[in-house]
Amino acid sequence: MSQVVNPVDREEAARRAAEELLKPGYEKESLFDQLYRRFNQFVGDLTDAVTGGGSTGGVIAAVVITLIILGVIALVAWRLRGAARRNAMAAGGLYGERVLDAAEHRRAAERLAAEGDWSEAIRERLRAIARDLEERALVDGMPGRTADELAAEAGAALPGFAAELAAAARSFDDVSYGGVPGTQAAYQAMSGLDDRLRQARPVPLAMAGGPS
């Protein structure tokens, strides 16, 4: 004769779940696991409401579940976009992880040039240009700045150097991301631009804006 299994009501299920959580294995449960478990329990409660809460309750529960799922998807997508943007900024950033002043970047560039490492010397020289402009408050100290962003902002403050700054940014990008090897001529052009920029003064606002 087969054994009849009595269904477990919600109160009994909750009691059993509480007893399960009191076991030693749950003492070390991570915060993520706790949140994930509680979320699943919440969705399960709503699902029960869909199947046993009547037509009106079922529709409301279904709408709530849909909104929760859409919210989770939106949150995950937002976090992924933010992470992708931070990675892109880090990959295309001008400075990398080191924090040096203009003089330190300049000395590093000269040492690398003496060793014949023209690609890295070009990168360090543009970093020296960027730091020098920041230290003179000609451009903002923007984290994650790219070479193109530097050229655009510095070109607005020093319009006479705009074309050369844009060319320097292209040279930096070429050796950093385009697989183009640096050359002595490219480094010398960057070095000469650095020297002249150190003597340059920004155009007064009245002149930059043209005649009123």
Side-chain angles (χ1 to χ4, degrees):
M1 183 176 181
S2 61
Q3 182 180 3
V4 177
V5 179
N6 295 325
V8 179
D9 59 21
R10 294 193 59 81
E11 291 183 1
E12 177 65 16
R15 186 185 65 78
R16 293 184 183 181
E19 291 177 352
E20 180 70 17
L21 292 177
L22 291 176
K23 293 181 179 179
Y26 285 94
E27 294 178 359
K28 299 181 180 179
E29 186 179 24
S30 67
L31 177 61
F32 177 80
D33 290 337
Q34 292 180 30
L35 294 175
Y36 181 74
R37 174 173 48 75
R38 290 174 183 173
F39 175 77
N40 283 340
Q41 182 178 355
F42 177 68
V43 173
D45 292 341
L46 288 178
T47 302
D48 290 343
V50 172
T51 58
S55 59
T56 302
V59 170
I60 294 175
V63 171
V64 172
I65 291 176
T66 302
L67 291 176
I68 290 174
I69 293 174
L70 291 176
V72 171
I73 293 173
L75 177 61
V76 171
W78 177 74
R79 293 295 298 272
L80 290 176
R81 284 198 302 268
R85 184 174 183 273
R86 287 191 297 271
N87 291 336
M89 289 177 65
L94 181 59
Y95 295 117
E97 297 180 354
R98 296 179 300 171
V99 179
L100 304 176
D101 61 24
E104 289 171 322
H105 280 299
R106 198 169 285 118
R107 286 194 296 270
E110 292 170 352
R111 174 179 54 80
L112 290 162
E115 297 171 356
D117 189 349
W118 301 115
S119 294
E120 191 59 34
I122 288 170
R123 284 191 282 266
E124 286 297 324
R125 200 72 188 207
L126 188 63
R127 289 165 182 155
I129 290 174
R131 284 295 188 210
D132 186 76
L133 293 173
E134 289 176 359
E135 291 166 3
R136 293 161 58 195
L138 295 179
V139 298
D140 294 330
M142 183 175 64
R145 181 197 306 278
T146 66
D148 290 336
E149 290 169 341
L150 169 72
E153 187 175 354
L158 301 166
F161 292 90
E164 289 180 88
L165 285 163
R170 287 195 299 272
S171 180
F172 179 93
D173 288 342
D174 285 345
V175 300
S176 298
Y177 317 115
V180 179
T183 64
Q184 182 176 1
Y187 174 75
Q188 289 176 341
M190 188 88 71
S191 177
L193 174 61
D194 182 22
D195 292 338
R196 285 181 287 111
L197 282 171
R198 293 164 68 185
Q199 306 300 322
R201 296 293 179 268
V203 175
L205 293 177
M207 294 181 59
S212 58

